[in-house]
Amino acid sequence: MKPILFLSMLATTALAEVNPTISAAMDKLIAEKEIAGVVTLVGDDEKTLHLGANGFSDLENKASMEADALFWIASMSKPVTGTAVMMMQDAGKLSVDDPVSKYLPEFKDLKDASGKAVEVTIKQCLTHSSGLSEVSPQESGDIATLKDLMPLIVAKPVQFEPGTKWQYCQTSINTAARVVEVVSGESFPDFLDKHLFQPLGMENTTFYPTEKQAARLAVSYKRTGAGELEKTPLMFLGNKPITNKERYPRANGGLFSTAEDYEKFARMILRGGEVDGKRYVSEKAVKQMTTVQSGDLKTGFTPGNGWGLGWCVIREPQGVAATLSPGTFGHGGAYGTQAWIDPVKKRIHLLLIQRADLPNSDGSDIRKAFHEASAK
């Protein structure tokens, strides 16, 4: 497979070279039919150091993976949501310590299983300690706005006293995004597009890809009992195309993006909230959301972690994250995508794949191989 060179959008960067160690590690995984194809990226606070595209974006049609392939990044959306909340805190529109009910009056009706009134804070939503119950795709049906999703969340009792436990919670992230809508006066997609994506040049990051973008979507696969890769749909779409806009913007995991786009977001965060002379979020807010805010609560999905505000934070590197520094922060996605920012080594690590049936997408051998190859 030929090396792929890529020109970064930043004027200060040169052509990114393919790291042969990373490329070889990815080719091995492709040969073992762990993945069909992959885009990997390593960058620093100024430039792209490595960008590689290996394997196929579509096995059936023998379409080679390209560096600009589009991926469903799933829960890599959560750090974006956390950043949006902190931008509103910087603007004086909210405090993460505020109760959600201050902005969403329907949350005054939130109760526990015994019928006792319960208060949940924005911070608890972002640290997965809210206790909010999930709303299934069947229950949300054809709901197309975050506003209409909120009553379904409030109608269910909390699963535990807020702040006493860590339990990964999709509805809590969507609740935080709804708060952003209320205090900004903009829909969540419009807010992100206006204040983050367009200013950063993230033209391929969206909840609702166009037909042109959809044509570059990497196909999702799962492994069969015989060890072959079999095409499988994106689990949250039902039978509708990704271009369909009749679904609510899943702030918890509905974004599509490319390696180049997400690198721009990650670089801005690595630089403390500023890039190319423009500040998006304060350095204080970046520090707050990318350091542990979950206290001593035991968190998932791999050992040694804590939780910031929308970000997983690696307290004690081990296992798949052994080559990263303490304090590295980021997030994985349901289909194996990974984004991690090492503030000590000043490195951005992006792994984009579409593997649907990984037992633990954050603890996969694919992630481990990528991090280990990136460290060499």
Side-chain angles (χ1 to χ4, degrees), residues 61-82:
N61 294 313
K62 300 299 180 185
S64 295
M65 183 67 76
E66 302 291 343
D68 65 348
L70 191 75
F71 291 80
W72 174 44
I73 61 171
S75 287
M76 280 167 54
S77 307
K78 289 180 171 72
V80 176
T81 300

Side-chain angles (χ1 to χ4, degrees), residues 103-299:
Y103 308 99
L104 309 182
E106 58 266 47
F107 271 74
K108 292 178 181 177
D109 295 327
L110 187 67
K111 294 177 172 60
D112 64 16
S114 69
K116 178 185 175 182
V118 174
E119 200 78 87
V120 171
T121 67
I122 299 170
K123 178 183 284 188
Q124 288 166 344
C125 286
L126 293 173
T127 57
H128 300 284
S129 61
S130 69
L132 293 177
S133 295
E134 300 291 17
V135 175
S136 71
Q138 292 74 27
E139 291 169 328
S140 60
D142 293 327
I143 284 178
T145 68
L146 289 171
K147 179 181 179 180
D148 291 338
L149 181 68
M150 295 302 108
L152 299 185
I153 298 173
V154 174
K156 295 187 172 190
V158 295
Q159 300 177 73
F160 53 84
E161 182 183 346
T164 64
K165 181 180 177 181
W166 185 93
Q167 183 170 299
Y168 198 58
C169 183
Q170 310 296 349
T171 57
S172 69
I173 302 298
N174 288 323
T175 298
R178 174 59 187 155
V179 172
V180 171
E181 289 189 327
V182 170
V183 301
S184 69
E186 301 172 286
S187 72
F188 197 58
D190 285 349
F191 178 88
L192 294 182
D193 198 54
K194 179 179 178 181
H195 301 287
L196 270 178
F197 298 160
Q198 289 304 318
L200 282 168
M202 297 171 64
E203 296 181 357
N204 289 298
T205 304
T206 178
F207 291 107
Y208 311 108
T210 63
E211 292 285 355
K212 186 175 181 180
Q213 290 169 328
R216 292 189 281 111
L217 180 69
V219 173
S220 300
Y221 293 94
K222 63 180 179 180
R223 282 191 49 146
T224 67
E228 300 294 327
L229 290 170
E230 177 180 83
K231 186 175 180 179
T232 190
L234 298 180
M235 62 183 181
F236 74 101
L237 291 177
N239 295 318
K240 297 178 180 179
I242 68 169
T243 53
N244 176 53
K245 294 186 177 182
E246 295 177 1
R247 62 174 183 269
Y248 67 88
R250 285 165 168 79
N252 64 298
L255 285 175
F256 294 82
S257 192
T258 64
E260 175 195 1
D261 265 24
Y262 208 89
E263 181 193 24
K264 293 173 182 176
F265 168 68
R267 178 169 291 116
M268 179 270 290
I269 298 297
L270 176 58
R271 292 170 58 93
E274 173 276 331
V275 69
D276 290 338
K278 178 176 174 60
R279 179 157 293 282
Y280 294 83
V281 60
S282 70
E283 193 167 358
K284 180 181 178 181
V286 170
K287 186 70 173 177
Q288 184 179 5
M289 71 176 171
T290 60
T291 53
V292 175
Q293 302 293 322
S294 55
D296 296 327
L297 297 179
K298 183 179 179 181
T299 69

